[in-house]
Amino acid sequence: MKFTALLVLFFAALQSARALPEAELQRFINEAIKAGGGEVVIPPGVHVIERGLIVKDAKKLRIIGLDAENTVLQLPPVAYALATGTTAAGTTTIPVKSQRGFKPGMRLKIEADGELDSFTQKPRPYHLAIVKAVEKETIQLESALKFPVPDGTMIRHEDAPNLIEIRGASEEVRIEKLTLDGGRVDGDPAIRGHTQLCAVLASGAYNYEKGPTGPKIKKLGISRCFIQNCHGRGIALYSVEGTEIDGCTIRDTSDEAIDFDHFTVKSIATHNHIARCLLGVELNDANDCLVAGNEFLECGTGINLWRWCKLPGLNEGNLIVQNVFERTRGNAVQIATGTKGNTVAQNEINASGKNGIILSGEAQIVKANKITGSGMKALVIQEGKHDVSE
């Protein structure tokens, strides 16, 4: 018999008259996975998620809220500080301001140049430390800094969670009718969480040089959700296949609303409303994905397709069609070097702050787009030969 947590969760919430503890939600998810699949139905309420819900090696699992607007999974306010003055390497104390949420034992991500990255051959844009003690205007470290910390450097929690994280050989996981709130509040600094502080992160095993190194996450579905206030991405996908993101509202994220990242294939984002996000949809080393029928309102950039990994055959066969872009601050659609054979067709672009479409790579197909009121140019070809019919 398939597992269902509907009555158990619902009556537990009614009897306790409070939001459900994170550990209880995780327990029901684990039991559903162990049973081979089923439903975990979450009752209305604001359920604070401090460590992140983990879905690993799940099959045919559905996580659904009873009421999309009133069933809220929410991260607590982000832990961060800003360095004051320059702190030299070899020091064990960092003067800070605006400190919030740090505790002894936490790992810190210090967003300043660190050790050399073996892949890029450039300094990593961060280095790590561990908190020994916290005072009002200083952080004491367990060991001396290996690299300096310039004035104004962002310092945050290296192990900050995602609301829902999907790992392993998961297949046919569905997330529906939830509000996923990343916990960003007025007055927070600009933090780009990347693979942290996301509403949903799904990642199969992969390597930049080798590609996928384990099974991809397959047939993930995210629908009818409200995703908001994320310091990281709204939805971040790495090495997944056949994901469908449909009918969601994603707003006010500090990073990408939807990210089709390394080795993601045959995935779609359709009929979503994306507003006031740094970037609407990113495709990075993704193939044969569809972005169609979405609305982008007042985002920094609408859609960005680009290459990071050097493996051949990446960034090809993606379709960007029938989307509406209103008042992007930057380019509405940008296609970068190292991409090939992607289609941008039948989109409506109005009042982009920079260009409507900016084009690089090779053999892109651009046709029947309606572009009006661009701050710079409607279409810019930076490199390559393309099939352009506007």
Side-chain angles (χ1 to χ4, degrees), residues 115-312:
E115 65 184 3
L116 192 71
D117 187 280
S118 60
F119 182 76
T120 64
Q121 293 301 306
K122 297 178 181 179
R124 291 181 177 172
Y126 65 90
H127 52 102
L128 304 179
I130 298 176
V131 177
K132 180 178 181 181
V134 178
E135 299 176 4
K136 184 177 180 181
E137 295 182 345
T138 61
I139 301 173
Q140 305 292 329
L141 306 178
E142 288 192 355
S143 56
L145 289 164
K146 294 182 179 180
F147 304 93
V149 182
D151 182 41
T153 295
M154 170 63 66
I155 303 170
R156 60 187 182 87
H157 186 196
E158 164 63 7
D159 303 304
N162 300 298
L163 272 170
I164 301 174
E165 191 162 315
I166 304 167
R167 297 283 186 177
S170 294
E171 296 185 15
E172 296 186 57
V173 174
R174 297 201 60 85
I175 299 169
E176 302 176 42
K177 292 179 63 179
L178 292 166
T179 291
L180 303 175
D181 192 300
R184 191 179 74 173
V185 296
D186 289 344
D188 278 354
I191 296 173
R192 294 188 66 183
H194 201 56
T195 55
Q196 297 175 324
L197 303 167
C198 304
V200 179
L201 181 138
S203 182
Y206 69 93
N207 179 282
Y208 289 150
E209 290 86 1
K210 298 178 181 179
T213 57
K216 292 189 174 188
I217 291 170
K218 295 182 178 179
K219 298 182 180 179
L220 169 64
I222 304 171
S223 64
R224 297 179 291 166
C225 289
F226 295 96
I227 297 173
Q228 60 193 27
N229 303 328
C230 293
H231 290 286
R233 282 90 173 245
I235 300 169
L237 307 175
Y238 290 76
S239 196
V240 306
E241 180 176 345
T243 289
E244 297 183 3
I245 303 167
D246 182 73
C248 294
T249 294
I250 307 175
R251 56 200 177 199
D252 302 309
T253 68
S254 297
D255 225 313
E256 296 98 338
I258 299 172
D259 175 38
F260 291 150
D261 222 311
H262 308 306
F263 317 113
T264 289
V265 300
K266 298 178 181 177
S267 295
I268 69 173
T270 52
H271 311 116
N272 301 289
H273 177 72
I274 298 172
R276 300 178 302 278
C277 297
L278 180 69
L279 203 159
V281 174
E282 178 160 278
L283 300 108
N284 177 21
D285 302 334
N287 284 43
D288 303 314
C289 293
L290 172 67
V291 182
N294 304 284
E295 296 178 345
F296 298 85
L297 176 64
E298 297 178 353
C299 293
T301 299
I303 295 177
N304 182 38
L305 170 59
W306 68 295
R307 169 182 287 272
W308 173 259
C309 294
K310 299 175 183 178
L311 296 172

Side-chain angles (χ1 to χ4, degrees), residues 49-96:
I49 307 298
E50 294 190 359
R51 296 186 178 182
L53 298 173
I54 304 299
V55 177
K56 186 177 181 182
D57 298 327
K59 311 291 184 184
K60 297 183 178 180
L61 172 66
R62 187 182 188 211
I63 302 173
I64 184 170
L66 283 177
D67 180 332
E69 292 191 53
N70 295 309
T71 305
V72 182
L73 303 182
Q74 185 176 63
L75 289 175
V78 67
Y80 80 96
L82 298 173
T84 57
T86 297
T87 302
T91 305
T92 57
T93 300
I94 306 176
V96 295

Side-chain angles (χ1 to χ4, degrees), residues 311-329:
L311 296 172
L314 296 176
N315 310 292
E316 298 182 6
N318 299 293
L319 303 177
I320 300 169
V321 298
Q322 297 180 351
N323 301 285
V324 176
F325 302 84
E326 291 283 346
R327 301 189 299 280
T328 57
R329 296 189 298 277

